Amino acid sequence: MTRDLTRLTLAAARDGLLAKRFSARELAAAHIAAVEQARALNAYLVETPDLALKAAEDSDARLARGDARPLEGLPLGVKDLYCTNGVRTTAASRILEGFVPNYESTVTAQLWRDGALMLGKLNLDEFAMGSSNETSAFGPVVSPWRRRKNGAFDDARIVPGGSSGGSAAAVAAHLCLGATATDTGGSIRQPAAFTGTVGIKPTYGRCSRWGVVAFASSLDQAGPITRDVRDAAIMLRSMAGHDPKDTTSVDLPVPDYEKSVGASVRGKKIGIPKEYRVDGMAAEIDALWTQGIEWLRAAGAEIVDISLPNTRHALPAYYIVAPAEASSNLARYDGVRYGLRKPGKDIVGMYENTRAAGFGAEVRRRVMIGAYVLSAGYYDAYYVRAQRIRTLIKRDFDIAFHAGVDAILTPATPSPAFAIGEKGAADPVEMYLNDVFTVTVNMAGLPGLVVPGGMSSDGLPLGLQLIGRPFEEETLFALGAAVEQAAPKIELPDAWWAS
Ligand code: GLN
């Protein structure tokens, strides 16, 4: 009997290991082989097979002793924005050339504490700035999905979304059982939607940001991308928790999220915000949304219309706040403290040469926008106004939740995935528009879960988003599992990428 251990969910792999149906070593080896055969997707920037096999042996010893930890022996991928002790960390940027952290991010340390093992570091948009993984200094990630025209696949290479494109592609293509990701303005949820995977951005403060390369610190959150809702619940439980090293992480107990999967959603009040029906939204996205409403209604939820009137200001405000914080966070890459250094005639020349050579076009654009909106004379007009809008967006959600809404259902993205090179080349705003449904959640600090809902007419996955009250991820897991139950199963094309 041939069994492909890469086809398992995280939960099934966990149960299989405990039942001794296969070993952690076999599970790791199957994934290492899959990763090697999938280099055409460019999902992994760094592969760490030796570390994985060594950890698998330790896991097998523990399993044999009956001393298994919650994630014992489960192979994961790590977005290359998380610092990993002794393993090259790039943030997909040339400026970190040669950077090998001598510390481990809190979130990954917690995953290893619980017995998971690392297969390698996953590609992303440079410094997590992007929505298609095309801004990576190491080339775009190719989605394992293919577009269909008149029943036949076309040749276009499809983006996996971004910035966590490597995480989403690796999970979708069975190159790991689950992956860490980060979300500043949609970077977990939009790639999950584009690849038919599940992603949750937890409430701001739920996971520690310590050791995760900073983009926009007031918006950044860690979270998992997995193949189903249960797996996301399992991973988040290990990733979440208070960390004295991140003062914005919250000291609240971490629930056993897996218990919420399959819980009844009867009587839950689901808000449908009319402002999310935006201009230019594909008709099939609208139809999917209607479908999602019906699924939740059939599961016993109560559907109510709500209004989030400041929604249309969220995207422009996000693209002021995020670059402002980025310009400040990225000031540390000066050729002195980390990675790349390009000599110059004096120290300022060295800074200039290093930053010009080390940052890609999108990162430079963000740094310039950020410096501009923070500069004297423009600060009040742009940055302060954007922060005020942020307060209004948060208030819109507060009003809805105060009126008894338990969660809000929206589409995840205004369109399905597109081809590499198809969007944003002439006008960066075209790319930013991808984030119209996701940035509101970061601006308000709320949890957001994306689950697959169906397929586009050209054969690509479409996702639905559930937005929850602060620290009520459990409600999202229950509702997400109900949508997952009702939605048609979507089938990835055969491993056409395998070498
Ligand atoms: N696409 C958004 C941006 O480019 C979000 C990125 C993210 O969430 N890291 O800023």
Side-chain angles (χ1 to χ4, degrees):
M1 188 190 85
T2 59
R3 49 177 187 185
D4 184 353
L5 299 178
T6 67
R7 300 272 135 183
L8 299 171
T9 60
L10 202 66
R14 172 191 64 189
D15 299 345
L17 284 170
L18 288 172
K20 307 217 164 36
R21 284 197 285 275
F22 44 84
S23 67
R25 202 190 153 82
E26 288 173 282
L27 185 63
H31 282 92
I32 290 166
V35 170
E36 283 171 0
Q37 284 160 15
R39 295 210 175 109
L41 298 182
N42 201 24
Y44 280 87
L45 292 176
V46 181
E47 296 173 20
T48 54
D50 297 340
L51 285 177
L53 289 171
K54 168 86 192 51
E57 272 167 32
D58 294 345
S59 287
D60 280 329
R62 277 186 176 256
L63 285 155
R65 293 201 299 272
D67 186 20
R69 297 162 290 179
L71 302 178
E72 197 67 64
L74 300 174
L76 304 178
V78 173
K79 184 178 185 179
D80 204 14
L81 201 64
Y82 289 77
C83 289
T84 42
N85 193 1
V87 176
R88 192 158 76 95
T89 298
T90 68
S93 182
R94 298 256 172 235
I95 209 151
L96 280 172
E97 196 174 272
F99 173 55
V100 179
N102 56 3
Y103 45 84
E104 185 77 25
S105 84
T106 298
V107 163
T108 49
Q110 289 176 179
L111 290 166
W112 318 145
R113 169 203 72 197
D114 284 350
L117 50 94
M118 178 167 82
L119 292 162
K121 306 293 293 289
L122 294 160
N123 204 347
L124 64 148
D125 279 299
E126 184 175 6
F127 283 105
M129 297 173 191
S131 309
S132 64
N133 217 115
E134 293 169 287
T135 75
S136 167
F138 304 105
V141 174
V142 178
S143 173
W145 288 90
R146 296 176 76 184
R147 210 151 58 180
R148 239 181 281 252
K149 277 214 179 85
N150 309 321
F153 288 123
D154 75 7
D155 292 334
R157 292 291 177 257
I158 302 300
V159 303
S163 66
S164 311
S167 303
V171 170
H174 302 269
L175 312 181
C176 54
L177 291 176
T180 71
T182 63
D183 192 314
T184 303
S187 281
I188 291 175
R189 292 161 288 150
Q190 184 255 21
F194 276 11
T195 57
T197 55
V198 172
I200 182 165
K201 181 201 91 76
T203 313
Y204 185 80
R206 186 64 286 191
C207 293
S208 171
R209 291 180 294 107
W210 194 82
V212 181
V213 175
F215 166 6
S217 307
S218 77
L219 301 161
D220 298 344
Q221 254 302 288
I225 293 180
T226 55
R227 287 196 288 269
D228 69 14
V229 173
R230 178 180 300 277
D231 287 0
I234 292 170
M235 266 187 84
L236 184 61
R237 188 190 185 188
S238 284
M239 295 169 72
H242 177 58
D243 176 10
K245 290 190 292 218
D246 173 4
T247 51
T248 65
S249 78
V250 172
D251 197 0
L252 281 175
V254 181
D256 183 354
Y257 293 121
E258 198 180 351
K259 290 210 174 91
S260 307
V261 178
S264 168
V265 301
R266 194 155 294 283
K268 292 273 183 238
K269 215 167 172 181
I270 309 299
I272 308 299
K274 61 169 187 275
E275 292 80 3
Y276 280 61
R277 194 156 273 121
V278 297
D279 286 347
M281 181 163 100
E284 58 192 6
I285 302 279
D286 210 338
L288 172 80
W289 194 11
T290 306
Q291 183 64 259
I293 294 170
E294 290 316 316
W295 290 331
L296 286 175
R297 203 197 304 274
E302 183 194 336
I303 308 296
V304 293
D305 288 327
I306 61 167
S307 175
L308 301 169
N310 291 289
T311 299
R312 70 194 170 92
H313 303 304
L315 197 70
Y318 168 84
Y319 276 97
I320 288 173
V321 172
E325 294 189 27
S327 71
S328 161
N329 272 325
L330 271 54
R332 73 190 71 179
Y333 304 105
D334 55 5
V336 178
R337 282 169 282 193
Y338 307 87
L340 188 75
R341 176 180 305 173
K342 291 277 179 207
K345 62 177 186 332
D346 54 17
I347 183 134
V348 174
M350 188 277 286
Y351 292 160
E352 286 172 354
N353 292 345
T354 300
R355 289 168 69 85
F359 289 144
E362 185 60 29
V363 173
R364 288 202 297 272
R365 175 158 38 239
R366 304 284 179 114
V367 168
M368 285 189 282
I369 293 171
Y372 183 83
V373 300
L374 291 174
S375 60
Y378 296 103
Y379 180 82
D380 290 326
Y382 292 103
Y383 184 72
V384 170
R385 272 182 96 187
Q387 290 289 31
R388 291 210 178 106
I389 290 169
R390 190 171 180 178
T391 304
L392 295 175
I393 290 163
K394 170 95 174 57
R395 191 177 303 159
D396 284 354
F397 282 109
D398 286 346
I399 290 169
F401 292 134
H402 193 76
V405 165
D406 293 295
I408 294 164
L409 181 76
T410 76
T413 56
S415 72
F418 40 91
I420 292 176
E422 204 169 72
K423 259 191 194 177
D427 177 7
V429 173
E430 194 188 13
M431 188 64 78
Y432 300 168
L433 287 171
N434 271 289
D435 308 327
V436 62
F437 299 142
T438 45
V439 294
T440 51
V441 176
N442 304 74
M443 292 292 263
L446 302 171
L449 172 73
V450 163
V451 288
M455 297 269 256
S456 70
S457 55
D458 54 2
L460 295 174
L462 298 174
L464 284 165
Q465 172 174 243
L466 286 153
I467 304 168
R469 298 164 177 255
F471 300 101
E472 292 189 15
E473 283 82 4
E474 289 161 287
T475 307
L476 296 186
F477 286 126
L479 290 164
V483 172
E484 185 175 60
Q485 268 293 313
K489 293 285 155 280
I490 55 174
E491 286 293 331
L492 185 72
D494 282 343
W496 54 271
W497 60 84
S499 58

